[in-house]
Amino acid sequence: MTRTSPPERLRADAAHNRRALLDAAAATFAEQGVDASIAQIAARAGIGKGTVFRHFATKRQLLAAILCDRLDELAAAGEALLDAADPESALLEFMTTGVEMQARDRSFCQAATGIAVSDPEVRAATTRLFEAAEALTDRARRQGTVRDDITGEDIMLLPSAAYQAAAPLGGVAPDLWRRYLSVIFDGLRPEAARPLPHPAPTSAQFTAAIDEHATNSDPNSDPNRVTDRITEREPQLSEQQ
């Protein structure tokens, strides 16, 4: 009797090649940003470009897969902190992890701002991350160490604020973001808190922003050309790089 594997179950060698490709792509994008070529990624992974084509038809798809890995990594870190004895410290550690990921991986930061967010798997991973962020925030609110009007959506956005504030000096002061994260976290405390001038963003607004970005993205005006087909872009990249 012939045994047929489900379509989603890759053969062991194919699964190994895909993992090697994702690891190589993540490392290359982290070093060079999304301008890195597919030829460079394939060489680093020790596979042929044809293998890249079989797994990911576009650079957008490749970035989406890497972004899913990063979001799942951060969500898992948040979920692991839900049993921490001190909710305040757990929330700060979660936010710190979020900034650390952006600081060490430029492609994560770029992708998270809209390159691949229209992918359905990215949406699912983002939902998981939102749930972890809200659960951690709720514990800190109930503890009384975070003001009552702070939400999980706030916590999702604020680490990027700390990273972006320090980014211009990242080359000479790589840990400067820790200063700004501390300032931001102090602002979350209820002591001497004043009413905020604008409500927190909602999950519906996040979804609307993602949809707007996906609708307005113009691959012809994007210098990274992440929506170009790999098979269309690669010959030019191979000659230049």
Side-chain angles (χ1 to χ4, degrees), residues 73-213:
E73 179 184 347
L74 185 54
E79 290 163 355
L81 289 166
L82 288 174
D83 293 327
D86 183 0
E88 179 185 17
S89 296
L91 184 62
L92 178 57
E93 183 176 343
F94 175 72
M95 295 176 71
T96 299
T97 300
V99 188
E100 287 174 337
M101 291 179 67
Q102 295 184 56
R104 75 170 186 257
D105 190 340
R106 291 189 301 147
S107 69
F108 174 82
C109 183
Q110 290 171 335
T113 56
I115 289 175
V117 290
S118 60
D119 183 272
E121 292 186 1
V122 173
R123 287 176 180 265
T126 301
T127 297
R128 178 188 173 192
L129 181 55
F130 276 143
E131 290 172 351
E134 177 55 36
L136 287 168
T137 306
D138 182 61
R139 292 186 74 221
R141 284 194 305 255
R142 287 187 283 109
Q143 185 191 37
T145 53
V146 167
R147 49 191 296 168
D148 291 338
D149 53 358
I150 295 300
T151 70
E153 284 78 14
D154 290 322
I155 297 304
M156 286 288 295
L157 290 172
L158 288 171
S160 292
Y163 170 76
Q164 293 295 342
L169 280 76
V172 295
D175 289 331
L176 180 61
W177 60 265
R178 296 182 185 277
R179 173 183 177 87
Y180 297 114
L181 181 59
S182 182
V183 171
I184 288 169
F185 200 81
D186 277 351
L188 301 180
R189 303 181 193 279
E191 296 87 353
R194 298 182 180 182
L196 296 172
H198 195 281
T202 65
S203 57
Q205 287 174 318
F206 270 93
T207 300
I210 289 172
D211 291 339
E212 181 180 10
H213 177 86

